[in-house]
Amino acid sequence: KRPVAIGAIALACALPWYLKSLASTGNPFYPMFYGIFGGRGWSEANAALYASKAGLKGFGTTLPMLLKSPWNLTFYWTRFESFNPGPIVLLTFPALLTVFFVRGENRRRALLITAMAAGYYLMWFFDYQSTRFLIPYYGLSAALAGLFMTRSGSQRLHAGWAAALALGACFLIGAGWNARWILCEANPRPQACFLGITDREQYLTQALDYYPAIRALNADVPAEEAVLCIGEHRGYYFGPRPLISDWFDTPVILDLIRRTKNNGEIFSLLEKENCHHVFFNFGELGKYHHSDFRPRFSPEEYRRFEEFLSSPRLRLRKEIGPVKIFRIVKEESAS
């Protein structure tokens, strides 16, 4: 009954999100399970790209790699994601053996949590090996560690104290890592903004290469207009509505190309969207152009993309850092 109750509670908490996804995309688990539910705004090619990127994480899904994964997560974490989990997986993995030490009524509880923790870890290992997706495992293994510390019946071996010290080491190492990153590695340093030495706008200007261009765009373009974004996939701080796509999505400009017969129709669609500006981040596009952008275009589609960029209807208004902001002019003005 308890696993059913826990599952029902989890489903109830997530249900609003599932309903929102179902209403907006037709797939309650969007973008997952595309082969079963489909999903508006997603495609088979996008699903394949997502799966290929997921397959690049970690060291593979063989049994030896499963056994070595706690060690690899601790010492080779950059292969999984750019988020350092610290030694928590390595130190809490033995907590899965708690079931062999806990006595009495707590044995059933330990068995349940062990099964859930192990099941989630296996699902993570064979699906998408990103360290940030391990957060549920951390919580489950922490519960197991608590049982081990208080109910193991191994006081002579001081097992409880050993587990407490291991978790304390995780905390200290994690806190030390964060402090080192903030004080020595972060660029710009966030503490100056936190202490009020520099203001928020100055910090954002230093931290985000596209933020000065965003400020200039917001000052000139009314909030009720839309802006076509090329290369830029971050929608933060836009005043006007950004026509934007994630790395995994079909690029907005490619979607427009596929929906039209020529570039003149693209400009007509943009006008209907009340879109009169193009926000082109050359610097950001350069990071993934050859791997995730250019390969998605057919030769004819990329030719139209290049023609779109060189169209006389695009007038350069501002160039700020790696960003160029174009104004879309009427066809008669362009000629």
Side-chain angles (χ1 to χ4, degrees):
K1 294 180 181 179
R2 288 180 179 179
V4 174
I6 292 171
I9 293 171
L11 179 62
C13 292
L15 189 59
W17 182 266
Y18 293 147
L19 293 176
K20 171 184 175 291
S21 295
L22 179 63
S24 59
T25 71
N27 179 350
F29 307 107
Y30 182 91
M32 303 300 181
F33 303 112
Y34 178 80
I36 300 174
F37 299 101
R40 293 187 295 275
W42 199 243
S43 68
E44 188 175 346
N46 292 341
L49 176 64
Y50 188 88
S52 69
K53 293 297 181 183
L56 296 176
K57 306 293 183 184
F59 291 86
T61 56
T62 63
L63 180 59
M65 287 300 104
L66 174 63
L67 298 177
K68 290 179 62 176
S69 59
W71 179 270
N72 290 334
L73 276 164
T74 302
F75 297 103
Y76 304 101
W77 54 270
T78 54
R79 288 286 299 270
F80 296 86
E81 195 86 58
S82 56
F83 308 102
N84 185 1
I88 187 168
V89 177
L90 183 63
L91 293 179
T92 60
F93 207 73
L96 296 177
L97 303 176
T98 298
V99 66
F100 297 110
F101 297 95
V102 174
R103 302 290 183 262
E105 176 63 23
N106 289 288
R107 188 179 182 86
R108 290 178 58 194
R109 188 177 304 170
L111 179 62
L112 171 61
I113 303 176
T114 298
M116 294 178 65
Y120 184 87
Y121 192 87
L122 289 173
M123 183 175 65
W124 168 85
F125 181 81
F126 289 105
D127 186 17
Y128 196 149
Q129 295 183 21
S130 168
T131 50
R132 56 200 166 98
F133 294 151
L134 274 175
I135 291 176
Y137 170 80
Y138 299 155
L140 291 167
S141 60
L144 285 173
L147 280 174
F148 187 78
M149 284 187 282
T150 59
R151 306 294 182 185
S152 66
S154 303
Q155 281 78 7
R156 292 182 181 179
L157 299 176
H158 303 289
W161 281 107
L165 289 173
L167 292 179
C170 288
F171 173 81
L172 292 175
I173 292 172
W177 178 274
N178 288 337
R180 183 200 63 80
W181 185 85
I182 291 172
L183 296 174
C184 304
E185 190 173 325
N187 184 29
R189 303 284 189 266
Q191 58 267 31
C193 181
F194 177 77
L195 296 173
I197 299 173
T198 60
D199 62 22
R200 180 174 179 273
E201 292 296 304
Q202 183 178 353
Y203 173 77
L204 289 173
T205 299
Q206 296 173 346
L208 302 173
D209 60 355
Y210 73 113
Y211 188 71
I214 288 283
R215 292 186 61 182
L217 181 79
N218 293 345
D220 291 345
V221 180
E224 61 269 17
E225 288 191 15
V227 176
L228 173 62
C229 296
I230 300 176
E232 186 54 68
H233 55 91
R234 300 162 292 185
Y236 308 119
Y237 307 114
F238 275 91
R241 176 171 58 93
L243 303 179
I244 204 165
S245 57
D246 186 78
W247 283 19
F248 292 114
D249 291 330
T250 303
V252 174
I253 184 62
L254 178 56
D255 180 61
L256 290 170
I257 289 172
R258 290 174 176 173
R259 289 165 53 192
T260 56
K261 296 178 181 178
N262 54 64
N263 288 347
E265 292 185 6
I266 291 181
F267 288 112
S268 298
L269 286 178
L270 292 176
E271 187 172 1
K272 290 179 182 179
E273 290 278 354
N274 196 23
C275 176
H276 306 290
H277 289 84
V278 176
F279 188 92
F280 197 151
N281 192 333
F282 286 85
E284 192 67 20
L285 181 61
K287 298 176 182 178
Y288 66 99
H289 177 271
H290 295 293
S291 59
D292 300 324
F293 186 80
R294 176 64 180 87
R296 309 184 80 163
F297 291 73
S298 69
E300 173 61 21
E301 289 168 344
Y302 199 76
R303 182 191 63 78
R304 281 188 58 188
F305 170 66
E306 293 179 316
E307 287 183 356
F308 177 84
L309 294 181
S310 60
S311 171
R313 294 192 62 177
L314 293 185
R315 296 283 178 83
L316 181 63
R317 289 193 61 183
K318 294 181 179 179
E319 183 173 359
I320 304 174
V323 176
K324 291 184 178 181
I325 300 174
F326 297 92
R327 169 76 179 180
I328 301 176
V329 301
K330 298 287 186 180
E331 188 170 5
E332 54 271 21
S333 299
S335 58

